[in-house]
Each structure stands twice: as C-alpha cells, then as structure tokens.
Amino acid sequence: MPPTRTRLRSAVAVSTAVTVAVAAALTTTVSAQAAAGCRVAYTVTSQWPGGFGANVDLTNLGDPLTNWRLTWSFTAGQVVGQLWNGTVAQSGGRVTVTNTGWNGNLGTGAGAQFGFGGSWNNASNPAPTDFALNGVPCTGSPTTTTPAPTTPPPTGPPPTTGPPPTSGPPPTNWPPTATPTPPPTSPPPPSAAQTNTVGRVRAVGSSVQYTWPGTYFEGRFRGTGVGIVLNDSQNDYAVQIDGTTVATLVTPGQTTYWVRNLTDAIHTVRLVKRTESPWAAGEFGGLVAAPGGVVLAKPAARSRQIEFIGDSWTAGYGNMSTTRDCSANGGVTRNSNADVTFGALTAQSLDADFQLIAWSGLGMVRNYNGGGTDNFRTYYETDLQALWNSTVWQKPATWQPQLVVVGLGINDFSTALHAGERWSTPDQLAADFRTAYLGFLDKLRARYGPDTFIVLTYPDLSGTPLASSVQQVVRTRTDAGDTRVRSLYYDDTALGLDKLGCDWHPSRRDDQLIAGALTRFIGTLPLSW
C-alpha cells in the first residue's frame, strides 16, 4: 500500500524548524530592479523540506490603477500552492497574480500585499527578478503621466494573515435557481443571529468570524428568494436550500449572494464552509429575504452533538478529486469539501450537530515530515486557529457533545524521523505520543465530563507504532476506570478504500465508506441520546 501522506500547510508553524543550510533564505528580501512604474519587495518568510512561504509587497509608482496584474518567472521549478489576497495562475515557471475584488485600486504610491505557500526542489529557491505590473517591468522608478490623486482611493477591508486556499476557476454551471444578482433596494439589516450554528465563531458587530473547516449556518425564510451576506475572499462555500446544494461559491469576497426563483413557501437555507483557512477568517453577516418575504426564527439546535478532532482526513483534504495529483485539476483547495467528509456524513445520518476541529499536517506531538514546533494540541482550544488575534474559544453551555471522535497520529508516524528531531527512534516518538494523548484525553474529560464517549480512530499505517500506541492509550484509560474511551481501526482492505483524493488522501467515496463504518460502530455504543 502506498504511504499515507498528509501535507503540512502551515508556513508559520514550520519557520523555526528549517535547518541551518537554508536559514539564510528565511530572511531573503529582493527589491525588483527591472523597469519603470512599480517596485516589488519579495520576501521568503519560511522554508522547509519541500515547501516555503513568501510575501510580496507591490508599490505602484505609475498612474492610478483600478485593477492590477503582477507577473514574474520562477527559474528553479518553484510552484505556487496557496495564495491569499489575490488570484494566482501558473504556467510552467510563469506566475500571474491578479487583484481580488477589494484590493484592485492602486493610486500612485499606493501598495498591495499578498502572500503564498509554495513548493521548491530542496536544492535552490532563487527569488524572481522579472516582476512586471500590468505588463510594465518594475524598475523602482516612477513614470506618472497624470497627476496623482489628492485623496487615496478606497482600499477595501484589511488583509487577513496566513495562507488561505489555492486559486482556481469558479464553477461555470451555476444552477438556474442560484444566480448572483444585486440585492433588493431596501433590505432589512441582516444579522448572523438569525441563523443557528454550533461552530466556533467570534461575534464582530452583527456578523461572525470563523476559521475551522465545515463551519455551517442554518436558517429559515418565507418567500421566493434569500440573500446570504458574506465577506470572504479566501474560502469556498456550499449553499443548500431545503437540503439540496444549489451553488458552490468560490472565494466569493464581500457580497450578498442571492438564490431566487423559488416557490413562495417556507424554506431552509444552509451555508457551509468547505475549505481550511487556519490563518484567514471568513465572515458571515446573516440572511436577507427577497422582496415580499421574511427571514423567520432560526431552527432549533439538534439534541445530538458530535465533535470530530483530527488532521487532513477529518478536514476533507482533496476529497473531491479523482486523481492523487491535483496540480492539473484545480489544486487541493478547489477539491476539498468538509461537508462531505466522513464526519459530516456520520453526523448527518444521525441527525446530529457537529464540529470539525481539524488541521491538515498537524499531529499529536509531531507534524508531517517533522515540520514545525507547534502541533495540533497548540491550537485545539482556539476560536480562530492561527490568526493573530485568536484566543481560547469560550465553550457555550449549549455545546456538550455526547460523542467525540479523535483521529490524530497519521502525521506523527507516516514519515521517517530526521536528524535533529528530539526523538532518535520510533519507540521514543511512540512513548511521547502516548503520554501526550493521555494528557489530551484528560483535557477532553475536564471539558466534557465523564459521560461523553470518546472514540480514538486510526487508519492502516503498517510498520509504525500508531495502532499499538492508540490501543495502549485505550487500555490505560480503561484500567484507570474510564470505560467510555474506545478505539476504531479503519482497515483499508476491508473497507475497500481507494485513496484517490489529492496526495493519497481519502476520496469522497472513501469518506462514505468510512462514515458507514463509523456509524455502525457508534450504533454499538450505549449512547443515551
């Protein structure tokens, strides 16, 4: 069986783990000196085996612009993966980044910043030198032919930090009942309080912010249409009306998205965040009824609650792809959908509310390929993950899951140990893993009490101590009197997993098979829900 691979997506987390051989690259800043009209500072902010992060600071020294396009060439096979505050396209070594909907205006002397995570060949990572803005090479010299504006143009909302998803073309087959059209002339002021969510959200005025994958909002309205108020240039969403997905929104930006031409009746609406964004928050502002309609009281929360904790398997990394190499079909993010993961499907089949507390590439004590110093436990309790202003999520009394499903350990054991890591042998790593896992279960018990069932899952990772370590953790808890901790093995062969998702991850079909196995297992537990 090919190895299970879970790509590390955190440029922040790995910045301190780079070896001395590449340390100089971490602070490399190149000011492009190639032509008139603009200036570019290109900074490699972090670098690790196979990947790196970079920031680009663009200054317009020419005429004011309402839209911009920055191009450059990589000369050593580098590939842009996730990019934020812009839209990226790459052909060979040629990279083109265009503005988003809110940062296209660049007055004379104004700047725009964006960043990205990418891959490199582990041998050289030279900075580009041929930057051009709207086709004009960047020399750092101004060539203004019209007077500069006396007041700065609007710049839109401030950029958020950290890599959101890869760019890709939006869907071309929008359903006929879901078309983005202008909002009504006088909509009532929307509020996220009109909808129900159990997700980890932070209130910002009448809106809420969030980062965790699979966060969803559910509401009700009477009428022929509904508008969904969003401010998110980083994530993808599914829009569902009466249980049917009517649209996929690809990095919608600041907008009110309208679903129209419905029958005049009472409808349910559900908005789901499909993608991961540990460094960038989405923002939901509520619902607006079409003229003649009204937003109704939010639906009641479900009595059943499940919390899913894990890594890329739980987050839905590349699960919509039908090929393991996703470089030619839109990239990982365009192929990810947290709402059809095994966790979401299991919860939906049991009519349960759920959270997906998942982050690709992070492990219990060791991240994928040994990258970084932070691990999943660093961020488990946060509201907005790695955002600069993230803090501990204040768990409301209404969130008391009867079941917690944990899937951690793939990243700890799926790659070989490297020189310089704090473990010399897999046995040492396994011992540290077990100790940390037991401590993590102590935290869950303190958080949710003795009655919550906790299921520790693990996949086929033969030749590693993952299975024996998880089983030993369960035995230790049971021997100590905690009889509501169980383990569940996902057997690749018995389940028939194809792992055709991006980078050998579970496919959508695999998620359905795993959900079936998990649901059957849950049926054997004496849950009183």
Side-chain angles (χ1 to χ4, degrees):
M1 184 198 76
T4 299
R5 295 185 291 171
T6 307
R7 263 176 34 190
L8 182 63
R9 304 179 68 177
S10 170
V12 174
V14 299
S15 61
T16 59
V18 182
T19 63
V20 174
V22 298
L26 302 186
T27 56
T28 301
T29 300
V30 175
S31 292
Q33 299 293 329
C38 50
R39 180 173 61 246
V40 171
Y42 176 96
T43 306
V44 175
T45 57
S46 57
Q47 189 165 279
W48 61 94
F52 71 101
N55 285 333
V56 179
D57 193 333
L58 165 67
T59 302
N60 176 30
L61 302 178
D63 293 339
L65 302 174
T66 56
N67 288 284
W68 54 265
R69 180 185 72 258
L70 188 70
T71 57
W72 72 82
S73 297
F74 279 130
T75 59
Q78 302 101 315
V79 176
V80 175
Q82 302 169 320
L83 185 139
W84 58 100
N85 295 344
T87 301
V88 65
Q90 182 168 352
S91 177
R94 189 67 172 170
V95 178
T96 301
V97 176
T98 54
N99 60 272
T100 66
W102 55 264
N103 66 356
N105 288 317
L106 282 185
T108 302
Q113 297 80 37
F114 60 87
F116 63 87
S119 62
W120 66 302
N121 60 16
N122 295 326
S124 63
N125 189 9
T129 58
D130 62 340
F131 293 98
L133 176 62
N134 289 6
V136 178
C138 294
T139 62
S141 302
T143 56
T144 304
T145 57
T146 58
T150 56
T151 58
T155 57
T160 54
T161 58
T166 53
S167 303
T172 56
N173 57 336
W174 296 101
T177 59
T179 54
T181 57
T185 53
S186 300
S191 170
Q194 300 166 304
T195 59
N196 181 55
T197 184
V198 297
R200 295 188 181 184
V201 299
R202 175 187 292 185
V204 181
S206 61
S207 301
V208 291
Q209 293 182 331
Y210 43 87
T211 62
W212 291 99
T215 301
Y216 60 91
F217 304 90
E218 297 176 320
R220 300 166 61 246
F221 66 96
R222 183 175 63 245
T224 60
V226 65
I228 301 169
V229 181
L230 277 168
N231 183 11
D232 193 344
S233 298
Q234 318 297 346
N235 290 289
D236 296 353
Y237 292 84
V239 177
Q240 298 161 0
I241 300 293
D242 300 331
T244 299
T245 299
V246 298
T248 298
L249 309 184
V250 177
T251 60
Q254 188 168 2
T255 186
T256 298
Y257 184 85
W258 283 90
V259 180
R260 295 188 181 277
N261 303 321
L262 302 171
T263 57
D264 192 356
I266 294 177
H267 300 278
T268 61
V269 56
R270 186 169 183 265
L271 175 73
V272 190
K273 180 176 179 284
R274 290 172 44 130
T275 47
E276 292 187 73
S277 58
W279 302 269
E283 188 171 317
F284 171 61
L287 305 175
V288 182
V294 62
V295 176
L296 302 174
K298 63 185 179 181
R302 298 170 178 85
S303 61
R304 296 177 175 181
Q305 296 179 337
I306 308 175
E307 179 170 304
F308 296 92
I309 297 171
D311 48 34
S312 54
W313 279 45
T314 303
Y317 179 105
N319 60 344
M320 301 299 287
S321 180
T322 56
T323 174
R324 294 165 184 147
D325 182 356
C326 295
S327 59
N329 67 347
V332 172
T333 302
R334 292 294 88 76
N335 284 287
S336 297
N337 186 354
D339 202 43
V340 294
T341 57
F342 66 86
L345 295 176
T346 298
Q348 291 159 16
S349 71
L350 295 170
D351 192 28
D353 277 323
F354 65 95
Q355 289 184 356
L356 299 183
I357 308 303
W359 190 334
S360 293
L362 298 191
M364 182 66 74
V365 295
R366 180 178 184 260
N367 299 329
Y368 177 76
N369 207 29
T373 55
D374 294 337
N375 53 52
F376 181 86
R377 292 175 297 131
T378 306
Y379 299 98
Y380 166 69
E381 294 182 283
T382 60
D383 56 356
L384 300 179
Q385 292 180 266
L387 244 61
W388 66 273
N389 60 341
S390 182
T391 187
V392 173
W393 182 58
Q394 300 302 310
K395 183 186 78 67
T398 53
W399 181 245
Q400 187 63 34
Q402 299 97 335
L403 175 65
V404 176
V405 180
V406 186
L408 290 169
I410 297 175
N411 293 307
D412 297 83
F413 296 106
S414 62
T415 54
L417 291 168
H418 303 295
E421 293 193 64
R422 70 175 185 266
W423 310 278
S424 300
T425 67
D427 287 343
Q428 291 176 354
L429 170 61
D432 198 7
F433 175 83
R434 291 191 295 269
T435 299
Y437 216 143
L438 289 167
F440 188 64
L441 293 180
D442 286 339
K443 177 177 290 187
L444 292 179
R445 274 285 170 249
R447 189 179 185 89
Y448 296 130
D451 294 333
T452 295
F453 271 92
I454 305 175
V455 178
L456 313 185
T457 65
Y458 57 99
D460 189 354
L461 212 61
S462 58
T464 76
L466 175 59
S468 61
S469 294
V470 171
Q471 293 163 6
Q472 185 171 332
V473 167
V474 174
R475 286 195 299 271
T476 300
R477 297 294 302 196
T478 302
D479 292 345
D482 189 352
T483 60
R484 296 200 168 204
V485 177
R486 309 289 174 83
S487 65
L488 174 62
Y489 167 49
Y490 297 137
D491 186 325
D492 283 11
T493 302
L495 291 175
L497 305 185
D498 56 38
K499 293 185 180 176
L500 286 176
C502 299
D503 301 321
W504 288 89
H505 280 73
S507 64
R508 183 175 185 179
R509 171 183 173 275
D510 291 346
D511 274 316
Q512 293 169 345
L513 295 172
I514 296 171
L518 179 57
T519 302
R520 290 190 295 273
F521 181 80
I522 293 171
T524 68
L525 302 177
L527 284 160
S528 56
W529 62 5

